[in-house]
Amino acid sequence: TVIVVGAGFAGLVAAEARLDVELTPLPEPEALQKLLRRAQAGCFVSNSLSVHPDFHWRVNGTDVTIA
C-alpha cells in the first residue's frame, strides 16, 4: 500500500510478499520452518524497507505458516 507523504513523495505503509517455491527434496517440517525464517530475515528488499512485508509462503503447492 502506498500513500503520499510530505512534499508529494510516495511512501509504503504496507507491503506483502507472496512466494511460491518448489523444494526438492522437501525438508522435514522443523528444517523447513528454519529455512523460511532465514529466508525472511535475510531478504535484501525486506531489510531495505522501513515497513517490513507480510510473507506468505506456498511450498510444493501447500500453504505454509511460519510458527
Short mmCIF file of all heavy atoms in Angstrom, two decimals:
data_model
loop_
_atom_site.label_atom_id
_atom_site.label_comp_id
_atom_site.label_asym_id
_atom_site.label_seq_id
_atom_site.Cartn_x
_atom_site.Cartn_y
_atom_site.Cartn_z
N THR A 1 0.85 -1.17 0.00
CA THR A 1 0.00 0.00 0.00
C THR A 1 0.90 1.24 0.00
O THR A 1 1.83 1.32 0.78
CB THR A 1 -0.91 0.02 1.25
OG1 THR A 1 -1.63 -1.20 1.29
CG2 THR A 1 -1.86 1.19 1.22
N VAL A 2 0.58 2.18 -0.85
CA VAL A 2 1.38 3.40 -1.00
C VAL A 2 0.51 4.60 -0.68
O VAL A 2 -0.65 4.67 -1.10
CB VAL A 2 1.94 3.54 -2.43
CG1 VAL A 2 2.72 4.83 -2.60
CG2 VAL A 2 2.80 2.33 -2.78
N ILE A 3 1.05 5.57 0.06
CA ILE A 3 0.36 6.83 0.31
C ILE A 3 1.31 7.97 -0.05
O ILE A 3 2.51 7.78 -0.19
CB ILE A 3 -0.09 6.97 1.78
CG1 ILE A 3 1.10 7.02 2.73
CG2 ILE A 3 -1.06 5.87 2.18
CD1 ILE A 3 0.75 7.46 4.15
N VAL A 4 0.75 9.17 -0.21
CA VAL A 4 1.57 10.36 -0.46
C VAL A 4 1.94 10.94 0.90
O VAL A 4 1.08 11.15 1.76
CB VAL A 4 0.81 11.39 -1.31
CG1 VAL A 4 1.63 12.66 -1.47
CG2 VAL A 4 0.49 10.79 -2.67
N VAL A 5 3.23 11.14 1.09
CA VAL A 5 3.73 11.72 2.34
C VAL A 5 4.28 13.11 2.05
O VAL A 5 4.19 13.58 0.93
CB VAL A 5 4.79 10.79 2.99
CG1 VAL A 5 4.16 9.50 3.43
CG2 VAL A 5 5.94 10.51 2.06
N GLY A 6 4.88 13.75 3.01
CA GLY A 6 5.38 15.11 2.88
C GLY A 6 5.99 15.45 1.53
O GLY A 6 6.66 14.63 0.92
N ALA A 7 5.75 16.65 1.07
CA ALA A 7 6.31 17.20 -0.17
C ALA A 7 5.94 16.39 -1.41
O ALA A 7 6.66 16.40 -2.40
CB ALA A 7 7.83 17.36 -0.05
N GLY A 8 4.84 15.65 -1.35
CA GLY A 8 4.36 14.92 -2.51
C GLY A 8 5.08 13.62 -2.80
O GLY A 8 4.88 13.02 -3.86
N PHE A 9 5.92 13.15 -1.90
CA PHE A 9 6.62 11.88 -2.10
C PHE A 9 5.70 10.71 -1.74
O PHE A 9 4.86 10.83 -0.85
CB PHE A 9 7.89 11.80 -1.25
CG PHE A 9 8.96 12.76 -1.69
CD1 PHE A 9 9.14 13.96 -1.03
CD2 PHE A 9 9.77 12.45 -2.77
CE1 PHE A 9 10.11 14.85 -1.43
CE2 PHE A 9 10.76 13.34 -3.18
CZ PHE A 9 10.93 14.53 -2.51
N ALA A 10 5.91 9.61 -2.42
CA ALA A 10 5.15 8.40 -2.11
C ALA A 10 5.89 7.59 -1.06
O ALA A 10 7.12 7.55 -1.04
CB ALA A 10 4.96 7.56 -3.38
N GLY A 11 5.14 6.93 -0.19
CA GLY A 11 5.75 6.10 0.84
C GLY A 11 4.93 4.84 1.06
O GLY A 11 3.71 4.86 0.98
N LEU A 12 5.61 3.74 1.33
CA LEU A 12 4.93 2.48 1.63
C LEU A 12 4.44 2.49 3.06
O LEU A 12 5.16 2.87 3.97
CB LEU A 12 5.88 1.29 1.47
CG LEU A 12 6.27 0.89 0.05
CD1 LEU A 12 7.33 -0.20 0.10
CD2 LEU A 12 5.05 0.41 -0.71
N VAL A 13 3.20 2.04 3.26
CA VAL A 13 2.68 1.87 4.61
C VAL A 13 2.37 0.40 4.89
O VAL A 13 2.18 0.02 6.03
CB VAL A 13 1.43 2.75 4.86
CG1 VAL A 13 1.80 4.21 4.85
CG2 VAL A 13 0.33 2.45 3.87
N ALA A 14 2.33 -0.40 3.84
CA ALA A 14 2.11 -1.85 3.98
C ALA A 14 2.71 -2.53 2.77
O ALA A 14 2.69 -2.00 1.66
CB ALA A 14 0.63 -2.18 4.10
N ALA A 15 3.26 -3.72 3.00
CA ALA A 15 3.85 -4.49 1.90
C ALA A 15 3.59 -5.96 2.16
O ALA A 15 3.45 -6.39 3.30
CB ALA A 15 5.35 -4.22 1.80
N GLU A 16 3.56 -6.71 1.09
CA GLU A 16 3.28 -8.14 1.17
C GLU A 16 4.15 -8.87 0.14
O GLU A 16 4.34 -8.37 -0.95
CB GLU A 16 1.79 -8.34 0.89
CG GLU A 16 1.34 -9.72 0.61
CD GLU A 16 -0.17 -9.75 0.43
OE1 GLU A 16 -0.67 -9.34 -0.64
OE2 GLU A 16 -0.84 -10.20 1.36
N ALA A 17 4.67 -10.01 0.55
CA ALA A 17 5.46 -10.84 -0.36
C ALA A 17 4.82 -12.22 -0.41
O ALA A 17 4.68 -12.88 0.62
CB ALA A 17 6.90 -10.94 0.10
N ARG A 18 4.42 -12.66 -1.59
CA ARG A 18 3.84 -13.99 -1.78
C ARG A 18 4.84 -14.80 -2.59
O ARG A 18 5.15 -14.45 -3.73
CB ARG A 18 2.50 -13.92 -2.49
CG ARG A 18 1.45 -13.24 -1.67
CD ARG A 18 0.06 -13.33 -2.32
NE ARG A 18 -0.93 -12.82 -1.42
CZ ARG A 18 -1.54 -13.53 -0.47
NH1 ARG A 18 -1.25 -14.81 -0.34
NH2 ARG A 18 -2.43 -12.98 0.32
N LEU A 19 5.33 -15.87 -1.98
CA LEU A 19 6.34 -16.70 -2.63
C LEU A 19 5.80 -18.11 -2.83
O LEU A 19 5.27 -18.71 -1.89
CB LEU A 19 7.62 -16.71 -1.80
CG LEU A 19 8.22 -15.31 -1.68
CD1 LEU A 19 8.04 -14.80 -0.27
CD2 LEU A 19 9.63 -15.30 -2.11
N ASP A 20 5.93 -18.60 -4.04
CA ASP A 20 5.50 -19.96 -4.39
C ASP A 20 6.75 -20.69 -4.84
O ASP A 20 7.29 -20.40 -5.91
CB ASP A 20 4.46 -19.89 -5.50
CG ASP A 20 3.78 -21.21 -5.77
OD1 ASP A 20 4.28 -22.26 -5.30
OD2 ASP A 20 2.75 -21.21 -6.45
N VAL A 21 7.25 -21.59 -4.01
CA VAL A 21 8.53 -22.23 -4.27
C VAL A 21 8.38 -23.75 -4.35
O VAL A 21 7.44 -24.32 -3.80
CB VAL A 21 9.58 -21.87 -3.20
CG1 VAL A 21 9.82 -20.37 -3.16
CG2 VAL A 21 9.16 -22.37 -1.83
N GLU A 22 9.29 -24.37 -5.07
CA GLU A 22 9.38 -25.83 -5.16
C GLU A 22 10.72 -26.24 -4.57
O GLU A 22 11.76 -25.70 -4.96
CB GLU A 22 9.29 -26.30 -6.61
CG GLU A 22 7.97 -26.02 -7.29
CD GLU A 22 6.86 -26.93 -6.80
OE1 GLU A 22 7.13 -28.11 -6.47
OE2 GLU A 22 5.70 -26.46 -6.75
N LEU A 23 10.70 -27.15 -3.60
CA LEU A 23 11.93 -27.63 -2.97
C LEU A 23 12.04 -29.14 -3.15
O LEU A 23 11.09 -29.86 -2.86
CB LEU A 23 11.93 -27.30 -1.47
CG LEU A 23 11.87 -25.82 -1.10
CD1 LEU A 23 11.78 -25.67 0.41
CD2 LEU A 23 13.07 -25.08 -1.65
N THR A 24 13.19 -29.57 -3.64
CA THR A 24 13.45 -31.00 -3.82
C THR A 24 14.82 -31.30 -3.26
O THR A 24 15.80 -30.69 -3.71
CB THR A 24 13.41 -31.38 -5.32
OG1 THR A 24 12.15 -30.98 -5.86
CG2 THR A 24 13.60 -32.86 -5.50
N PRO A 25 14.92 -32.15 -2.28
CA PRO A 25 13.81 -32.79 -1.57
C PRO A 25 13.18 -31.80 -0.59
O PRO A 25 13.82 -30.83 -0.16
CB PRO A 25 14.48 -33.93 -0.80
CG PRO A 25 15.88 -33.45 -0.56
CD PRO A 25 16.22 -32.60 -1.77
N LEU A 26 11.94 -32.05 -0.24
CA LEU A 26 11.23 -31.22 0.73
C LEU A 26 11.82 -31.47 2.11
O LEU A 26 11.87 -32.61 2.57
CB LEU A 26 9.74 -31.55 0.73
CG LEU A 26 8.86 -30.74 1.67
CD1 LEU A 26 8.89 -29.26 1.29
CD2 LEU A 26 7.44 -31.27 1.65
N PRO A 27 12.31 -30.41 2.78
CA PRO A 27 12.87 -30.60 4.12
C PRO A 27 11.81 -31.07 5.12
O PRO A 27 10.61 -30.85 4.92
CB PRO A 27 13.37 -29.21 4.51
CG PRO A 27 13.45 -28.44 3.24
CD PRO A 27 12.42 -29.03 2.33
N GLU A 28 12.28 -31.67 6.20
CA GLU A 28 11.38 -32.04 7.30
C GLU A 28 10.75 -30.75 7.83
O GLU A 28 11.32 -29.66 7.69
CB GLU A 28 12.16 -32.75 8.40
CG GLU A 28 12.70 -34.10 7.99
CD GLU A 28 11.59 -35.11 7.69
OE1 GLU A 28 10.57 -35.11 8.41
OE2 GLU A 28 11.74 -35.88 6.72
N PRO A 29 9.56 -30.83 8.45
CA PRO A 29 8.86 -29.61 8.89
C PRO A 29 9.70 -28.64 9.72
O PRO A 29 9.65 -27.43 9.47
CB PRO A 29 7.68 -30.17 9.70
CG PRO A 29 7.41 -31.50 9.08
CD PRO A 29 8.76 -32.04 8.71
N GLU A 30 10.47 -29.13 10.67
CA GLU A 30 11.28 -28.23 11.51
C GLU A 30 12.35 -27.54 10.68
O GLU A 30 12.59 -26.34 10.82
CB GLU A 30 11.92 -29.02 12.65
CG GLU A 30 12.63 -28.14 13.65
CD GLU A 30 13.15 -28.93 14.84
OE1 GLU A 30 12.38 -29.71 15.42
OE2 GLU A 30 14.34 -28.75 15.16
N ALA A 31 12.99 -28.27 9.78
CA ALA A 31 14.02 -27.69 8.92
C ALA A 31 13.41 -26.70 7.93
O ALA A 31 14.03 -25.67 7.61
CB ALA A 31 14.78 -28.79 8.18
N LEU A 32 12.22 -26.99 7.45
CA LEU A 32 11.53 -26.07 6.53
C LEU A 32 11.21 -24.76 7.23
O LEU A 32 11.43 -23.68 6.68
CB LEU A 32 10.25 -26.71 5.98
CG LEU A 32 9.42 -25.84 5.04
CD1 LEU A 32 10.22 -25.43 3.81
CD2 LEU A 32 8.13 -26.54 4.66
N GLN A 33 10.73 -24.83 8.46
CA GLN A 33 10.45 -23.62 9.24
C GLN A 33 11.72 -22.78 9.40
O GLN A 33 11.71 -21.57 9.20
CB GLN A 33 9.89 -23.99 10.62
CG GLN A 33 8.48 -24.54 10.58
CD GLN A 33 7.45 -23.45 10.37
OE1 GLN A 33 7.51 -22.39 10.98
NE2 GLN A 33 6.51 -23.71 9.49
N LYS A 34 12.81 -23.44 9.74
CA LYS A 34 14.08 -22.74 9.93
C LYS A 34 14.54 -22.08 8.62
O LYS A 34 14.98 -20.93 8.61
CB LYS A 34 15.14 -23.72 10.42
CG LYS A 34 16.47 -23.09 10.72
CD LYS A 34 17.46 -24.10 11.28
CE LYS A 34 18.80 -23.46 11.56
NZ LYS A 34 19.76 -24.43 12.10
N LEU A 35 14.42 -22.80 7.51
CA LEU A 35 14.81 -22.28 6.20
C LEU A 35 13.99 -21.05 5.82
O LEU A 35 14.54 -20.04 5.38
CB LEU A 35 14.65 -23.38 5.14
CG LEU A 35 14.92 -22.97 3.70
CD1 LEU A 35 16.39 -22.63 3.51
CD2 LEU A 35 14.49 -24.08 2.76
N LEU A 36 12.68 -21.12 6.00
CA LEU A 36 11.82 -19.99 5.63
C LEU A 36 12.06 -18.79 6.54
O LEU A 36 12.05 -17.65 6.07
CB LEU A 36 10.35 -20.41 5.64
CG LEU A 36 9.98 -21.52 4.64
CD1 LEU A 36 8.50 -21.83 4.72
CD2 LEU A 36 10.40 -21.18 3.22
N ARG A 37 12.28 -19.02 7.83
CA ARG A 37 12.61 -17.90 8.74
C ARG A 37 13.92 -17.23 8.31
O ARG A 37 14.02 -16.00 8.32
CB ARG A 37 12.70 -18.39 10.18
CG ARG A 37 11.34 -18.57 10.86
CD ARG A 37 11.46 -18.73 12.37
NE ARG A 37 12.27 -19.87 12.75
CZ ARG A 37 11.81 -21.11 12.93
NH1 ARG A 37 10.54 -21.38 12.73
NH2 ARG A 37 12.62 -22.08 13.29
N ARG A 38 14.91 -18.03 7.93
CA ARG A 38 16.19 -17.46 7.48
C ARG A 38 16.01 -16.68 6.18
O ARG A 38 16.62 -15.63 5.98
CB ARG A 38 17.22 -18.57 7.27
CG ARG A 38 17.77 -19.10 8.58
CD ARG A 38 18.93 -20.02 8.37
NE ARG A 38 20.06 -19.25 7.83
CZ ARG A 38 21.12 -19.79 7.26
NH1 ARG A 38 21.21 -21.10 7.15
NH2 ARG A 38 22.09 -19.04 6.80
N ALA A 39 15.18 -17.20 5.28
CA ALA A 39 14.92 -16.51 4.01
C ALA A 39 14.27 -15.15 4.27
O ALA A 39 14.65 -14.14 3.65
CB ALA A 39 14.03 -17.36 3.11
N GLN A 40 13.32 -15.10 5.19
CA GLN A 40 12.67 -13.83 5.51
C GLN A 40 13.66 -12.87 6.17
O GLN A 40 13.72 -11.69 5.81
CB GLN A 40 11.49 -14.07 6.45
CG GLN A 40 10.31 -14.68 5.78
CD GLN A 40 9.12 -14.91 6.69
OE1 GLN A 40 8.23 -15.58 6.30
NE2 GLN A 40 9.08 -14.37 7.89
N ALA A 41 14.43 -13.35 7.12
CA ALA A 41 15.38 -12.50 7.84
C ALA A 41 16.48 -11.98 6.93
O ALA A 41 16.98 -10.87 7.13
CB ALA A 41 15.99 -13.27 9.01
N GLY A 42 16.85 -12.73 5.91
CA GLY A 42 17.94 -12.35 5.02
C GLY A 42 17.49 -11.66 3.75
O GLY A 42 18.31 -11.38 2.88
N CYS A 43 16.21 -11.35 3.63
CA CYS A 43 15.68 -10.74 2.41
C CYS A 43 16.20 -9.30 2.26
O CYS A 43 15.87 -8.42 3.05
CB CYS A 43 14.15 -10.76 2.44
SG CYS A 43 13.41 -9.97 0.99
N PHE A 44 16.99 -9.06 1.22
CA PHE A 44 17.57 -7.74 0.98
C PHE A 44 16.49 -6.68 0.80
O PHE A 44 16.56 -5.60 1.37
CB PHE A 44 18.47 -7.79 -0.26
CG PHE A 44 18.99 -6.45 -0.68
CD1 PHE A 44 20.03 -5.85 0.02
CD2 PHE A 44 18.43 -5.76 -1.74
CE1 PHE A 44 20.50 -4.59 -0.34
CE2 PHE A 44 18.89 -4.51 -2.10
CZ PHE A 44 19.93 -3.93 -1.41
N VAL A 45 15.47 -6.98 0.02
CA VAL A 45 14.41 -6.00 -0.24
C VAL A 45 13.67 -5.68 1.06
O VAL A 45 13.47 -4.52 1.41
CB VAL A 45 13.44 -6.49 -1.33
CG1 VAL A 45 12.25 -5.56 -1.47
CG2 VAL A 45 14.16 -6.65 -2.66
N SER A 46 13.27 -6.72 1.78
CA SER A 46 12.56 -6.53 3.04
C SER A 46 13.38 -5.71 4.03
O SER A 46 12.87 -4.82 4.70
CB SER A 46 12.22 -7.89 3.65
OG SER A 46 11.78 -7.77 4.96
N ASN A 47 14.66 -6.00 4.11
CA ASN A 47 15.53 -5.29 5.05
C ASN A 47 15.82 -3.86 4.61
O ASN A 47 16.32 -3.07 5.40
CB ASN A 47 16.83 -6.06 5.26
CG ASN A 47 16.60 -7.32 6.06
OD1 ASN A 47 15.77 -7.35 6.95
ND2 ASN A 47 17.33 -8.36 5.74
N SER A 48 15.53 -3.53 3.36
CA SER A 48 15.75 -2.18 2.85
C SER A 48 14.56 -1.26 3.09
O SER A 48 14.67 -0.05 2.89
CB SER A 48 16.05 -2.22 1.35
OG SER A 48 17.21 -2.98 1.10
N LEU A 49 13.45 -1.82 3.49
CA LEU A 49 12.23 -1.04 3.68
C LEU A 49 12.04 -0.68 5.15
O LEU A 49 12.41 -1.44 6.04
CB LEU A 49 11.01 -1.84 3.21
CG LEU A 49 10.99 -2.28 1.75
CD1 LEU A 49 9.83 -3.23 1.50
CD2 LEU A 49 10.90 -1.08 0.84
N SER A 50 11.39 0.47 5.40
CA SER A 50 11.04 0.79 6.78
C SER A 50 9.80 0.02 7.21
O SER A 50 9.58 -0.22 8.39
CB SER A 50 10.84 2.30 6.95
OG SER A 50 9.84 2.76 6.08
N VAL A 51 8.98 -0.38 6.25
CA VAL A 51 7.81 -1.23 6.51
C VAL A 51 8.18 -2.64 6.05
O VAL A 51 8.50 -2.85 4.89
CB VAL A 51 6.59 -0.73 5.71
CG1 VAL A 51 5.42 -1.69 5.86
CG2 VAL A 51 6.21 0.67 6.12
N HIS A 52 8.17 -3.58 6.97
CA HIS A 52 8.53 -4.95 6.61
C HIS A 52 7.31 -5.68 6.05
O HIS A 52 6.21 -5.59 6.61
CB HIS A 52 9.12 -5.69 7.80
CG HIS A 52 10.45 -5.13 8.20
ND1 HIS A 52 11.60 -5.37 7.50
CD2 HIS A 52 10.80 -4.31 9.22
CE1 HIS A 52 12.60 -4.73 8.06
NE2 HIS A 52 12.13 -4.08 9.11
N PRO A 53 7.49 -6.41 4.95
CA PRO A 53 6.35 -7.08 4.32
C PRO A 53 5.85 -8.26 5.15
O PRO A 53 6.59 -8.87 5.91
CB PRO A 53 6.91 -7.58 2.99
CG PRO A 53 8.38 -7.46 3.05
CD PRO A 53 8.72 -6.57 4.19
N ASP A 54 4.57 -8.55 4.97
CA ASP A 54 4.00 -9.80 5.46
C ASP A 54 4.34 -10.85 4.41
O ASP A 54 4.07 -10.67 3.22
CB ASP A 54 2.48 -9.69 5.59
CG ASP A 54 2.06 -8.75 6.70
OD1 ASP A 54 2.75 -8.71 7.74
OD2 ASP A 54 1.04 -8.06 6.54
N PHE A 55 4.96 -11.94 4.84
CA PHE A 55 5.34 -13.01 3.94
C PHE A 55 4.26 -14.09 3.91
O PHE A 55 3.74 -14.45 4.97
CB PHE A 55 6.68 -13.65 4.37
CG PHE A 55 7.87 -12.81 4.05
CD1 PHE A 55 8.31 -11.83 4.93
CD2 PHE A 55 8.57 -12.99 2.87
CE1 PHE A 55 9.42 -11.05 4.66
CE2 PHE A 55 9.68 -12.22 2.57
CZ PHE A 55 10.11 -11.25 3.46
N HIS A 56 3.96 -14.57 2.72
CA HIS A 56 3.03 -15.68 2.54
C HIS A 56 3.76 -16.72 1.69
O HIS A 56 4.19 -16.42 0.58
CB HIS A 56 1.75 -15.21 1.83
CG HIS A 56 1.04 -14.12 2.56
ND1 HIS A 56 0.17 -14.37 3.59
CD2 HIS A 56 1.11 -12.78 2.45
CE1 HIS A 56 -0.28 -13.22 4.06
NE2 HIS A 56 0.28 -12.24 3.38
N TRP A 57 3.90 -17.92 2.24
CA TRP A 57 4.67 -18.97 1.59
C TRP A 57 3.77 -20.08 1.08
O TRP A 57 2.84 -20.51 1.76
CB TRP A 57 5.66 -19.60 2.58
CG TRP A 57 6.76 -18.68 2.99
CD1 TRP A 57 6.79 -17.88 4.10
CD2 TRP A 57 7.98 -18.46 2.31
NE1 TRP A 57 7.97 -17.18 4.15
CE2 TRP A 57 8.73 -17.52 3.06
CE3 TRP A 57 8.54 -18.97 1.14
CZ2 TRP A 57 9.99 -17.09 2.68
CZ3 TRP A 57 9.79 -18.53 0.77
CH2 TRP A 57 10.50 -17.60 1.53
N ARG A 58 4.06 -20.56 -0.12
CA ARG A 58 3.48 -21.78 -0.67
C ARG A 58 4.67 -22.63 -1.08
O ARG A 58 5.48 -22.22 -1.91
CB ARG A 58 2.58 -21.50 -1.86
CG ARG A 58 1.99 -22.76 -2.48
CD ARG A 58 1.03 -22.41 -3.61
NE ARG A 58 -0.25 -22.04 -3.10
CZ ARG A 58 -1.25 -22.91 -2.88
NH1 ARG A 58 -1.08 -24.18 -3.14
NH2 ARG A 58 -2.40 -22.49 -2.42
N VAL A 59 4.80 -23.82 -0.47
CA VAL A 59 5.93 -24.70 -0.73
C VAL A 59 5.40 -26.00 -1.31
O VAL A 59 4.56 -26.67 -0.69
CB VAL A 59 6.74 -24.97 0.55
CG1 VAL A 59 7.89 -25.91 0.26
CG2 VAL A 59 7.26 -23.66 1.15
N ASN A 60 5.84 -26.31 -2.51
CA ASN A 60 5.41 -27.52 -3.22
C ASN A 60 3.88 -27.63 -3.25
O ASN A 60 3.30 -28.69 -3.03
CB ASN A 60 6.03 -28.77 -2.60
CG ASN A 60 7.53 -28.81 -2.78
OD1 ASN A 60 8.14 -27.86 -3.23
ND2 ASN A 60 8.14 -29.92 -2.44
N GLY A 61 3.22 -26.48 -3.48
CA GLY A 61 1.78 -26.46 -3.64
C GLY A 61 0.98 -26.39 -2.35
O GLY A 61 -0.25 -26.39 -2.38
N THR A 62 1.65 -26.29 -1.21
CA THR A 62 0.96 -26.24 0.09
C THR A 62 1.29 -24.94 0.81
O THR A 62 2.46 -24.57 0.92
CB THR A 62 1.42 -27.44 0.97
OG1 THR A 62 1.12 -28.65 0.28
CG2 THR A 62 0.71 -27.42 2.31
N ASP A 63 0.26 -24.25 1.30
CA ASP A 63 0.49 -23.04 2.08
C ASP A 63 1.18 -23.41 3.38
O ASP A 63 0.81 -24.38 4.05
CB ASP A 63 -0.83 -22.32 2.38
CG ASP A 63 -1.45 -21.72 1.14
OD1 ASP A 63 -0.70 -21.30 0.23
OD2 ASP A 63 -2.69 -21.65 1.06
N VAL A 64 2.21 -22.63 3.74
CA VAL A 64 2.99 -22.88 4.95
C VAL A 64 2.94 -21.63 5.82
O VAL A 64 3.22 -20.54 5.33
CB VAL A 64 4.45 -23.25 4.61
CG1 VAL A 64 5.26 -23.44 5.88
CG2 VAL A 64 4.51 -24.49 3.73
N THR A 65 2.64 -21.82 7.09
CA THR A 65 2.65 -20.73 8.06
C THR A 65 3.90 -20.86 8.90
O THR A 65 4.22 -21.96 9.38
CB THR A 65 1.39 -20.80 8.95
OG1 THR A 65 0.23 -20.72 8.13
CG2 THR A 65 1.39 -19.66 9.96
N ILE A 66 4.60 -19.75 9.07
CA ILE A 66 5.80 -19.76 9.90
C ILE A 66 5.36 -19.74 11.37
O ILE A 66 4.60 -18.87 11.78
CB ILE A 66 6.69 -18.53 9.61
CG1 ILE A 66 7.06 -18.47 8.13
CG2 ILE A 66 7.92 -18.54 10.49
CD1 ILE A 66 7.92 -19.60 7.66
N ALA A 67 5.85 -20.72 12.12
CA ALA A 67 5.48 -20.81 13.54
C ALA A 67 6.32 -19.90 14.39
O ALA A 67 7.38 -19.50 14.06
CB ALA A 67 5.64 -22.26 14.01
#
